[in-house]
Amino acid sequence: MKKKQRALGRPRKEQGAMATEEIILHTATGLFLEKGFQHVSMDDVAKKCNVTKATVYYYYKTKTDLFMDSMIKLMVRIRERSSAILSTDEPLKTQLFQFASAHLKATVDIDINTFMKEAKITLSQEQMEEMKKAEDALYNELESALTRSMERGEIRKCNPRLATLVFVNLLTVKNSMDESYQNSFDSVEDLAKELVDFYWNGLAGGN
């Protein structure tokens, strides 16, 4: 009986399809964050994963598709971590510090502003909308936490959406720091504390 030929690029069953896809996605995310979209090829991803290029193309038809999935999954991981932090009974300032620390650690090697500009050039309108949904989900978690704190009287009432955007953008200030100034902070936590203190003085009136 003639053996049925498997589809080109399809990984062998014993490899574990889900495991292979996860390895490709995890590896590609690291490469994109390290080198940027333009400087990463599908061949680079395949070599790093120790699989054939056909295997990478089996899961992702284009590098753009792989990039989009990588970034969305990254945002989802950050959101899930942030959601866990913001759903605790800790005081808001403690939550903001933990949020800032987690966010800075997740983006320590990324110039977010440059990275997103590159994404806008690379991705289609539909793909950008998918990324925006993932980004908005993160903002919504923080906005809800700020709103709850306002309702409890922990902080003064203001526009919670604006307060959310200001805080998230404040965390990108490290992209404007030169290396020597970044190194003046002993750790990510030290930078997070200074940023949160600066933000808190305006949000809570210095209390």
Side-chain angles (χ1 to χ4, degrees), residues 28 30-45 63 67 114-115 118 122:
L31 288 173
F32 285 136
L33 296 181
E34 179 186 353
K35 300 180 179 180
F37 177 84
Q38 299 296 340
H39 302 290
V40 175
S41 68
M42 296 292 260
D43 196 42
D44 292 332
V45 175
K63 185 175 77 166
F67 176 76
T114 300
F115 201 78
E118 186 176 64
T122 303

Side-chain angles (χ1 to χ4, degrees), residues 8-11 20-21 23-25 27-28 41-63 65-66:
L8 181 65
R10 183 184 180 91
T20 302
E21 183 177 9
I23 289 169
I24 290 171
L25 191 61
T27 302
S41 68
M42 296 292 260
D43 196 42
D44 292 332
V45 175
K47 288 178 180 177
K48 192 79 171 178
C49 294
N50 197 29
V51 299
T52 65
K53 188 159 63 172
T55 298
V56 178
Y57 275 111
Y58 172 75
Y59 291 107
Y60 296 98
K61 293 180 180 179
T62 69
K63 185 175 77 166
D65 290 337
L66 178 55

